[in-house]
Amino acid sequence: MIAALPMYDRPETTAALDALWAGVRDHLGYGPRHLTRDLAYDAAWGREDLLLGQICNLPYRARHRDDVTVLGAGDHRLPDTPAGYYTSVFIVRAEDAPRGLAPAALGRFAYNDALSQSGWGAPLAALTARGLQFHTTLRTGAHADSMAAVATGRADLAAIDVVTWRMLERWDPLAAQVRVIGRTGLSPAQTFVTAKTNDPTPLRAALQAAIVGLSPDHAETLQLFGFATLPKSAYDIPLPPSPTGTCADTLQSAAI
């Protein structure tokens, strides 16, 4: 039996995530003593022994609907955003911000992975709705690396999960070199899940209680202030095409 919450796990959030899991375990009355951190972030999603995990809505929609049961999503208290949803922010270098989104899209777009809603699916939909398209793409592997690519001039535009962006603003010096120039549409935030064989009811109650019981400092660190149960229809979003159309970069790969 494992519990893994890798989506916002970084050195600055370790203690807060440990406290969240301890709260879930205490309310539930069982579970592993510690979060699993020695697996790739996506390795737990298909495991039958997954007690509690967290998944981006795009890999859930594309690959894992039959593997996990959705418990709900966090309330991050984002402006103009219902509980359980989030957006991505478009970022460019500070000196390029006055030019706006359309010229930036003509340059190189840095995305973390083809199976990322926040880094690829949502920004693609936002540009398409504006009659724009990405002309050149660069796969980076992580949101922080996408931001770094923009800050250092290897890319001209990126889209970052807004919760990750808040963390990068707080802890990554490179964030000072970029500016937000727009946002994507709404989609379900990083989603708490459990293996299909588990009863979701006690897990949902324990998770909600643990989130409510977080100290103000831990809640602020995780940008996690509540819990929302979303309708199944919230995840009925069309799958995006691959950034490059190559076999190495299709929706058969997995990422946040």
Side-chain angles (χ1 to χ4, degrees):
M1 183 181 296
I2 65 168
L5 299 173
M7 308 310 278
Y8 298 120
D9 197 356
R10 50 183 293 146
E12 299 90 346
T13 63
T14 297
L17 283 171
D18 287 344
L20 175 61
W21 170 243
V24 173
R25 187 175 183 272
D26 288 347
H27 286 287
L28 195 59
Y30 65 91
R33 185 171 298 276
H34 303 291
L35 289 170
T36 294
R37 287 189 166 97
D38 59 354
L39 294 174
Y41 69 87
D42 56 348
W45 297 337
R47 288 179 54 145
E48 295 182 356
D49 61 346
L50 177 64
L51 182 61
L52 179 65
Q54 197 174 25
I55 190 171
C56 171
N57 73 74
L58 180 48
Y60 168 71
R61 286 150 42 212
R63 298 185 62 183
H64 292 284
R65 283 184 186 265
D66 295 333
D67 299 329
V68 297
T69 297
V70 169
L71 301 174
D75 177 5
H76 302 290
R77 291 184 184 171
L78 301 170
D80 303 316
T81 304
Y85 291 82
Y86 71 168
T87 63
S88 298
V89 294
F90 284 108
I91 60 167
V92 296
R93 286 180 296 281
E95 61 268 27
D96 293 333
R99 300 172 62 228
L101 183 59
L106 294 173
R108 175 165 287 192
F109 176 73
Y111 66 98
N112 54 335
D113 196 280
L115 206 63
S116 170
Q117 177 66 11
S118 55
W120 175 249
L124 177 63
L127 256 69
T128 301
R130 292 169 169 83
L132 303 172
Q133 62 180 347
F134 297 123
H135 288 260
T136 308
T137 58
L138 170 69
R139 183 184 182 279
T140 65
H143 278 308
D145 293 336
S146 294
M147 184 190 72
V150 173
T152 59
R154 293 189 299 117
D156 303 290
L157 178 68
I160 311 294
D161 158 7
V162 68
V163 179
T164 298
W165 170 245
R166 287 182 167 189
M167 294 178 178
L168 293 173
E169 279 189 302
R170 185 175 182 182
W171 296 313
D172 193 324
L174 284 177
Q177 300 182 33
V178 302
R179 297 289 184 272
V180 172
I181 61 166
R183 296 178 184 271
T184 68
L186 298 173
S187 61
Q190 299 288 351
T191 298
F192 295 102
V193 295
T194 188
K196 281 286 189 182
T197 52
N198 296 327
D199 180 359
T201 302
L203 281 162
R204 193 173 284 122
L207 181 58
Q208 185 166 14
I211 292 172
V212 170
L214 283 172
S215 71
D217 285 348
H218 285 332
E220 182 66 26
T221 294
L222 297 176
Q223 292 291 293
L224 182 61
F225 306 102
F227 181 78
T229 302
L230 303 182
K232 290 183 178 180
S233 60
Y235 296 89
D236 292 338
I237 304 170
L239 297 178
S242 162
T244 65
T246 67
C247 294
D249 204 13
T250 70
L251 290 181
Q252 299 306 308
S253 63
I256 64 174

